[in-house]
Amino acid sequence: MTAAMVATTWMHEQVTAEQYATWTEEQCAGIEIVDGMVLVSPSASKRHNRLARLLANALDTAAGPDWNADVDFDVRLQDVPLNNLRPDVTVYRAESIDVAPTRPGHVLLVVEVVSPGSETTDRIVKADQYARAGIQFYWRVEQIATGAPVLYTYVLDPATRRYREGGVFTDVVKLATPFPFEVDLGQL
C-alpha cells in the first residue's frame, strides 16, 4: 500500500475555516494550518515544553490582570486561506479567554521556542505571518543544550507590517515593553 493510498483527504486539499471548526480537539492537536494546508508537528521535547511553560508563567505574572499568558492553543491569523497557528506561548487579552477562535486583535505577544526541525518556520515563516497579522510583539527562544536559552525580541513596525529587532538576551531579561518584565533565562 502506498502513502497516497492511506493519506487522508486533508493532506491533499485546502482546509477551510468551516471544516476546521467541525474537527475535535484531538484532531487539531499537533497541527497548524498555513494557507489552508495542514502541517503536522512532531511532539515537542520535555525541555521545549518546560521552557515554554515557565516562560508563560513568568509572563502571566508580569502582565497584570488585563492579560493572560498560556501555551499551545490556536490563534486564527486569517480565515481565507485559513492560517491557524499554535504559538508556544501567547499573551492575550484576559477578557477574551472564552472567545474562540483567538484572533490577532486579542493577542499582544507570541513566543516560539525553536526546536530541531522548526528553525526556518519559527525564524522566518511564523515571524512574517504574525507581523502581517498585526501582532505587536514576537519573541523567539533558541534552545542551547549546554546552557541558558537565548531570547530574541522583535517589535512590529505598523507601517511596514514587519518586525524590527528589539534585543537579544542571554542571561537576565529586563524589559519595559510590552509591560515591565524580568526573568533570569538560566532559571528557565
Side-chain angles (χ1 to χ4, degrees):
M1 186 178 307
T2 67
M5 295 169 83
V6 296
T8 58
T9 304
W10 59 259
M11 294 177 76
H12 302 288
E13 297 177 6
Q14 283 190 320
V15 174
T16 66
E18 293 77 19
Q19 290 169 318
Y20 188 74
T22 68
W23 293 4
T24 66
E25 181 60 33
E26 291 80 24
Q27 290 171 309
C28 298
I31 67 167
E32 293 179 306
I33 301 179
V34 176
D35 295 332
M37 301 306 292
V38 174
L39 302 176
V40 179
S41 300
S43 294
S45 70
K46 290 181 285 189
R47 177 183 298 275
H48 175 281
N49 289 342
R50 180 171 176 75
L51 181 56
R53 181 178 51 81
L54 292 174
L55 189 55
N57 291 346
L59 285 165
D60 196 59
T61 299
D66 294 336
W67 300 98
N68 293 337
D70 285 308
V71 297
D72 191 38
F73 66 87
D74 289 349
V75 175
R76 177 77 50 88
L77 300 181
Q78 68 183 40
D79 289 325
V80 179
L82 182 58
N83 278 332
N84 203 79
L85 300 181
R86 283 186 172 233
D88 292 314
V89 179
T90 305
V91 177
Y92 62 96
R93 294 183 186 284
E95 66 194 27
S96 71
I97 193 166
D98 294 318
V99 175
T102 298
R103 299 285 184 167
H106 304 135
V107 177
L108 177 65
L109 163 70
V110 292
V111 181
E112 293 291 352
V113 178
V114 179
S115 295
S118 74
E119 294 95 340
T120 301
T121 301
D122 291 342
R123 292 175 186 155
I124 300 169
V125 176
K126 287 186 177 183
D128 180 62
Q129 290 180 338
Y130 294 140
R132 286 188 297 146
I135 295 174
Q136 289 181 282
F137 298 91
Y138 175 65
W139 293 1
R140 189 182 80 241
V141 180
E142 299 280 345
Q143 300 181 75
I144 307 298
T146 58
V150 178
L151 174 67
Y152 297 84
T153 65
Y154 301 89
V155 179
L156 183 67
D157 177 340
T160 63
R161 291 275 180 155
R162 298 268 182 223
Y163 288 117
R164 58 181 167 75
E165 290 185 23
V168 178
F169 300 89
T170 58
D171 191 15
V172 174
V173 177
K174 190 169 185 174
L175 295 166
T177 58
F179 39 77
F181 178 70
E182 185 172 345
V183 69
D184 183 346
L185 293 171
Q187 300 299 312
L188 296 181

